[in-house]
């Protein structure tokens, strides 16, 4: 679901084997601070256990590369069923809500599986690869990098249900703070512009076909909305005024009783927030995070602005020669007002990999940029992340337009 | 929610008073075949009782025109609360799901209220009206015309829950059948085109601002998909293949066990369908109706086509000098692949009437054209109807593109 | 579900035909103050529309007496399906939750059905009846008398959802008030006693077999708990103390947010209550009504008492020669602490009528006495009414024991 | 919730300290075959994780014995909140459904806690204990023994959600099979009898007060219903006949689609069952287990018998001098037809320990006997286990009466 560009976009990358290995080791490194029990728990259907991420990313290589080449490791009974995520074409799969109940295979057996898959891929890499195979390996690496971000997103969500507020890593770098500058709205001309991936390296199918799109003139904020901004919003009486909200947003707000961003706590010591570092005081100048599309949209209306479209965001990044736009990548994903649909001419490919993006093109919104948890070299202007408008557990914030 | 152009778009209209009266009488005429009990029932939250439609359309004139001019009729206690629909700014309102429980005021009291409101409006029409007042009356008429279609849509839904299959009117004209022609895909050039309302008469805010949109070349089917076409689909084994469906569509299909369009019954006599005429054999050449967006989208994929965007549909209607496109209006609303969002520059107006369209701009899809139940003179190319993708009780069908 | 003794227990009854006619006319009389719309609405699955009660009681005579004797009236298509309640053995039936959607057959057709059934029964009564037939007619009359009470119970519930608080009948006699006397606890000896029906006339199967039951000495309150008593309870801080409640009761209280009896409203004018007379001030000396078993049980614990068992209640009524017990019948049904199960040796009969009582013997509690809405001559000491412990829409109150 | 007699009922027990230590070690021994992940998972709200059982049983000693005597170990932050089960009077507690999310404290910290509590209790045992303290320690031991059975019940349930069918212990002794004898119904005289605990040692409050109860003559089956018997039932067409079921039972059967006992699988190899030993072929002569009250009750009706009351069961055990009743203890808990309510004169004690049994006296049924998983010396005739009639995850079966 998450998407990001491959290390292979990195000009320094020497060969696919090194890229593969680097990626695979990084997933394991992310699990270092966690116990077997931490890796097992699942607090909601939409968030998977840490252990499952380690297994599923290996299943992907196994299913789409090793099995067709008779290199699939033996002795891992039931793994094809247990660690399939949503690939209907590949066969049956474990119910998503019950992933947290799979105490066996154990974490140690999952690690054995990872190593066996790695051996298989290295064997394959030693042969003469077809272009299709190369592309599948690149896709597998990108897929795993997406799960590296999801791994952190999900672990934070799981741990947040523990009233002891345990830290994932007290020294984690969350990239939460940037020297503040004054809020400015940068003007852009628009016109008939090209949108979509134009590189020669890896991209996802949903970034294509590159096509022309007509844009009115617009302005884009030079920075993200901050926690201090957000407190003004939630402490204003209009925060609970239904006229400020989309109808579906108001229903979601009432149902889930949104009074603050996810993970915030109002305490005797003021606002605190739970993050991968544990529970800490809120940094007022840091960009607000863990807000839904509905909240972002209402905020924009409250300040008399709006969210940008994905096309404005992409166009602005390309046409910002003086680098006036700050906090574009590696901070937070940024909600846009664009429903996630296929570009003109987009077609869902017919094989299993075709299930990757196309079938989710309903009811979600595009997010642009990338977050502190996004893999290195994984950020590009054409990248289209997407989530449902009521979800808040992602590392996401907002940038205003007018 | 439904939208349609005012009779005032009709060049034959002489004055607003006649238009008003004609519209009001038509609502009452629609109720003629129904008993007080028929007018009371409510089979789902999204469908309102017939009695409620008669009251709510009067409430609209009362609230936005009579009350501000001290012309509101007295003696109708609680009507302001009971017959508000979703206007948060106007005050509290009866829970939508409980509309069917309001046995009092009686139908006869509702009719008294209608007459009292009509008297008030005629009084107002006898004074020197401001342009704002004229526009509000036009909006009220358009609003009531929308509810005339909804009245039939909802009554059909309510009656469908009765195992005796009672007809609303055995002689109703459903405009179900058109002499069939051969399916053709008409080519259009596209390019940078203007989209949106450009008339001088009435339109809804969501049809504006008129703006430029860039279109690739495309083809549009000359006619709607038929019942015969649809039977091929549902009797094909791939109908139950998840790969054919959007992920959310597959979930909806499983949850509601969609095997046929709404109101179809598989009987010993073959397929039958329940309509305003009661239960009858299916006309194979008639356009298929009562299918959700998800089903329409899957059908298009199944035949190797796609749904048109709202922009393609509008552009094609305008650029079809030889009238090759059939069944464009007054047959069935036609699903497009366009999520319902505001046009560039669209702003929600800040008064109560501003709640009319803007706050529903999430998660729905645009439908173009109009149905047999749509009010006369209410069809225009810029009209944007919208519904959630899982709903099927509207009079809607589909036209393919490629 | 409700149960009551037949008029035939009345020594003044001359013949079955008169008893039948009197009963049937009374049902129709109860509907006099109501419109067709009032008779149509259904506010919850557990409460049926007024129209349905009129039809179902006729269906009972039709199904169990006329059909087997080829006297069933013709021309009432679908009535056997629509107006079956829970008799699985008789065939399929309309979903209970959707009874309120059956606008057709109309009320007038239902009345035609009633008359046709009455004609059939009178024809049958003119023949030589078997004892089984006589007993079935008696059962049908008792069944209809139960539904007469349910009719009022349900109508009150339906109308309570109307924010205008419409009265069923502003002059209804609710028997709410009795000259207060001082609360006393009357002692009883207990010992090995006989429990269950011992008459020669009509009773329900659940009142038999008469059997011996051993009772410890106990005391029973001479009167019911009053509204004034109850206000002390709900205004006490322990009302919200979970230790006072059964575990399931606490869950129900939290889920439904019970702060007062059903139909009470806290207003600027003090407590008001909605009844068949509309909204009126609370009579402090009247017995509290519309409380669940869970609330009754918690109240008893709060005052350091308990609820009586059904055996104590029945024994006390029989052994109260000086009539110290007040408000025993025709006021309110009285919760006992006895789960509703079969008496020793009870067997469910195997025909459809056997579905009457036996299959409900799980999870409910016995209530003794009768209410102001119970049919005349319908009260007897062995009578066992029963409801689930969370339900509050019945005319029920409580009497303490210790 | 589960209840069982203390080792101290064992005449061989020398002192309380040894009994305490034996009990505590046994809990840890039960966890031996399980990983930290196995101990973490929770497949339903009603079943707790293994880790939680180890912590909660220690919390009981800590809360009711160590804290009041200033012996509570320090450094176990949040344990009082996390490992409280349902004791409202002791303070807030972790939501039951979320116990499986508490990955921290780790299993190793839980073990540290157990040892620290053990040290505290041994210190306390070295002082001059009051009678209250001795009784509380006995209660704590009985409480932990109940949780030992629940530990196995819950682990089986959790593991059953793993499609790999992992065994808890392939060599576990499930006491499933007994040399079959011929089914006989043993007659008993009944009469006025004493019911309830009359010993001088430990019992639960719900086994008292001992009181007189009048019993009709009855017969009790000499053995439990077998798997072979049950297959006859589920393969009979009447298994799906609603007339055979209690109304609530039929609803539960439909909702959960009961076609077989819990843990049974119909495979190409015939019926198989999942147990603590993993997936194995069904032993036809073994008593059927994992059936709900509703199923047991329907079975009894199907064979023309009934379930015994708890009073009949207890009376029969006492009055069976020739030991004709088989499989009475240490096989399976046996459903009775008796709703779980307090004996005459029963009062809920007012301290926290009083929450132990009394507040669950609604909607459940009494089970008699004990299962293979019940602690040694924990079986006695007055013991009253209890569960809701729709639950099936306990080790329970049935014995017929007539």
């Amino acid at each position: 679901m998450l998407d990001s560009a491959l290390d292979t976009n990195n000009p320094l990358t020497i060969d696919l084997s090194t890229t593969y290995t680097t990626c695979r080791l990084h997933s394991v490194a992310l699990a270092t601070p966690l116990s077997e029990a931490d890796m097992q728990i699942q607090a909601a259907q939409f968030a998977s256990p840490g252990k499952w991420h380690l297994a599923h990313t290996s299943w992907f290589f196994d299913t789409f590369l090793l099995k067709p080449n008779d290199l699939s490791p033996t002795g891992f009974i039931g793994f094809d069923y247990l660690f399939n995520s949503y690939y209907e074409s590949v066969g049956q799969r474990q119910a998503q809500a019950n992933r947290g109940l799979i105490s066996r295979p154990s974490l140690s057996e999952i690690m054995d599986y990872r190593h066996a898959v790695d051996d298989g891929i290295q064997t394959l890499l030693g042969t003469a690869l077809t272009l299709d195979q190369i592309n599948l390996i690149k896709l597998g690496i990108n897929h795993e990098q997406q799960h590296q971000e999801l791994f952190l997103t999900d672990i934070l969500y799981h741990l947040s249900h523990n009233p002891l507020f345990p830290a994932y890593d007290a020294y984690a770098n969350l990239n939460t703070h940037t020297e503040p500058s004054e809020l400015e709205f940068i003007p852009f001309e628009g016109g008939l512009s090209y949108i979509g991936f134009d590189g020669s390296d890896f991209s996802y199918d949903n970034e294509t076909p590159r096509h022309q799109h007509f844009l009115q003139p617009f302005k884009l904020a030079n920075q993200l909305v901050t926690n201090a901004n957000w407190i003004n919003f939630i402490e204003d009486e209009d925060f609970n005024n239904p006229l400020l909200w989309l109808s579906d947003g108001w229903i979601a707000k009432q149902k889930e009783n949104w009074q603050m961003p996810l993970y915030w706590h109002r305490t005797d010591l003021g606002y605190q927030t739970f993050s991968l570092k544990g529970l800490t005081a809120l940094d007022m100048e840091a960009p607000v995070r863990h807000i839904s599309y509905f909240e972002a949209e209402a905020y924009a209306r409250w300040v008399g602005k709006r969210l940008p479209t994905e096309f404005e965001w992409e166009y602005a990044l390309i046409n910002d020669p003086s680098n006036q736009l700050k906090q574009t990548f590696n901070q937070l994903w940024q909600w846009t007002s664009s429903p996630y649909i296929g570009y003109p001419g987009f077609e869902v490919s017919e094989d299993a990999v075709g299930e990757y993006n196309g079938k989710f093109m309903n009811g979600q919104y595009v997010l642009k940029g990338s977050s502190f948890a996004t893999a290195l070299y994984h950020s590009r202007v054409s990248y289209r992340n997407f989530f449902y408008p009521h979800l808040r557990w992602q590392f996401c914030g907002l940038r205003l337009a007018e």
Side-chain angles (χ1 to χ4, degrees), chain A:
Chain A
M1 221 179 302
L2 269 168
D3 263 280
S4 55
L6 173 62
D7 285 21
T8 54
N9 283 337
N10 174 8
L12 301 180
T13 298
I14 299 167
D15 60 52
L16 196 53
S17 169
T18 307
T19 307
Y20 174 84
T21 303
T22 307
C23 169
R24 297 283 288 170
L25 289 175
H26 187 56
S27 296
V28 176
L30 289 174
T32 310
L34 301 172
S35 72
E36 182 169 2
D38 292 332
M39 294 286 281
Q40 182 64 48
I41 59 178
Q42 180 180 29
Q45 174 167 346
F46 59 74
S48 298
K51 193 170 89 177
W52 187 89
H53 284 294
L54 291 191
H56 166 69
T57 47
S58 305
W59 170 93
F60 188 98
F61 287 109
D62 188 9
T63 301
F64 295 116
L65 284 151
L66 301 188
K67 279 200 164 48
N69 293 289
D70 289 330
L71 288 167
S72 182
T74 56
F76 297 98
I77 310 300
F79 281 46
D80 50 351
Y81 174 89
L82 289 170
F83 302 117
N84 183 357
S85 54
Y86 55 79
Y87 296 87
E88 305 270 4
S89 54
V90 175
Q92 289 205 299
R93 54 206 162 87
Q94 173 75 358
Q96 194 171 347
N98 286 351
R99 287 173 183 167
L101 301 179
I102 305 304
S103 59
R104 308 185 195 178
S106 68
L107 183 54
S108 139
E109 289 169 295
I110 300 293
M111 292 306 299
D112 290 346
Y113 181 56
R114 286 188 71 85
H115 295 139
V117 166
D118 288 347
D119 289 349
I121 293 292
Q122 293 299 354
T123 300
L124 192 66
L125 284 168
T127 67
L129 296 176
T130 66
L131 185 57
D132 272 1
Q133 287 175 324
I134 290 172
N135 284 337
L136 271 170
I137 294 173
K138 286 184 180 177
L139 180 63
I141 292 169
N142 276 272
H143 171 258
E144 180 144 354
Q145 288 174 321
Q146 293 179 321
H147 277 277
Q148 289 163 3
E149 174 154 2
L150 265 178
F151 182 94
L152 293 176
T153 319
D154 290 354
I155 283 292
L156 177 59
Y157 188 76
H158 302 320
L159 292 177
S160 77
H161 287 74
N162 191 321
L164 306 180
F165 297 114
Y168 163 76
D169 173 4
Y171 302 99
N173 173 16
L174 309 183
N175 203 13
T176 49
H177 188 60
T178 323
E179 204 55 44
S181 56
E182 203 168 337
L183 177 63
E184 279 183 87
F185 281 83
I186 316 300
F188 294 92
E189 274 187 21
L192 200 54
S193 319
Y194 276 94
I195 292 292
F197 186 69
D198 73 341
S200 57
D201 215 320
F202 180 86
S203 80
Y204 285 108
D205 55 356
N206 65 8
E207 302 168 54
T208 62
R210 185 165 167 82
H211 65 286
Q212 283 182 288
H213 186 93
F214 187 78
L215 279 172
Q216 319 270 353
F218 66 97
K219 293 183 180 171
L220 198 61
N222 64 332
Q223 59 187 23
L224 302 182
V225 170
T226 67
N227 287 326
N229 297 150
W230 200 266
I231 287 172
N232 290 336
F233 178 38
I234 62 179
E235 295 187 349
D236 186 279
E237 60 180 14
D238 267 348
F239 180 71
N240 290 310
N241 177 356
L243 293 182
L244 204 66
W245 297 76
L246 287 169
S247 179
D248 292 337
W250 180 249
I251 290 167
K253 179 181 185 301
Q254 297 292 96
K255 185 180 161 199
E256 306 193 10
N257 192 25
W258 291 337
Q259 294 300 327
M260 300 181 286
L262 185 62
Y263 303 140
W264 283 29
H265 298 266
R266 216 176 249 127
T267 75
D268 293 344
L269 305 169
Y271 289 104
Q272 297 199 293
T273 187
F274 180 67
S275 73
L276 293 169
K277 300 165 84 108
L279 193 67
T280 56
L282 200 63
D283 177 351
M284 291 301 162
E285 290 168 351
V288 65
R289 56 173 69 182
H290 298 300
I291 42 103
S292 64
Y293 173 81
F294 290 132
E295 290 163 292
E297 204 266 354
Y299 176 85
R301 184 171 299 125
W302 180 70
V303 292
K305 307 291 180 189
R306 61 175 177 83
L307 298 178
T309 67
E310 62 167 314
F311 312 107
E312 290 171 337
W313 198 99
E314 183 168 340
Y315 172 92
L317 265 279
I318 293 167
N319 294 282
D320 179 28
S322 50
N323 284 322
Q324 293 177 282
L325 300 173
K326 313 293 180 199
Q327 302 174 321
T328 51
F329 291 106
N330 296 119
Q331 288 260 340
L332 294 173
W333 292 100
Q334 297 158 41
W335 286 110
T336 76
S337 65
S338 297
Y340 175 57
I341 56 176
Y343 285 163
F346 175 78
E347 280 184 37
V348 179
S349 63
E350 292 196 3
D351 52 12
V353 176
E355 291 193 61
Y356 207 81
N357 278 313
K359 74 177 184 183
F360 298 110
M361 288 176 173
N362 174 67
Q364 310 200 41
Y365 285 86
V366 173
L367 298 99
K368 300 292 283 185
S370 58
S371 88
F372 70 91
T374 307
L376 204 60
Y377 309 117
H378 213 111
S379 305
R380 60 181 173 275
V381 293
S382 62
Y383 199 100
R384 306 174 78 202
N385 201 347
F386 49 93
F387 285 102
Y388 286 99
H390 65 285
L391 293 177
R392 324 204 295 169
W393 98 112
Q394 283 299 311
F395 301 116
C396 53
L398 77 156
R399 177 187 303 272
L400 297 172
E402 70 174 27

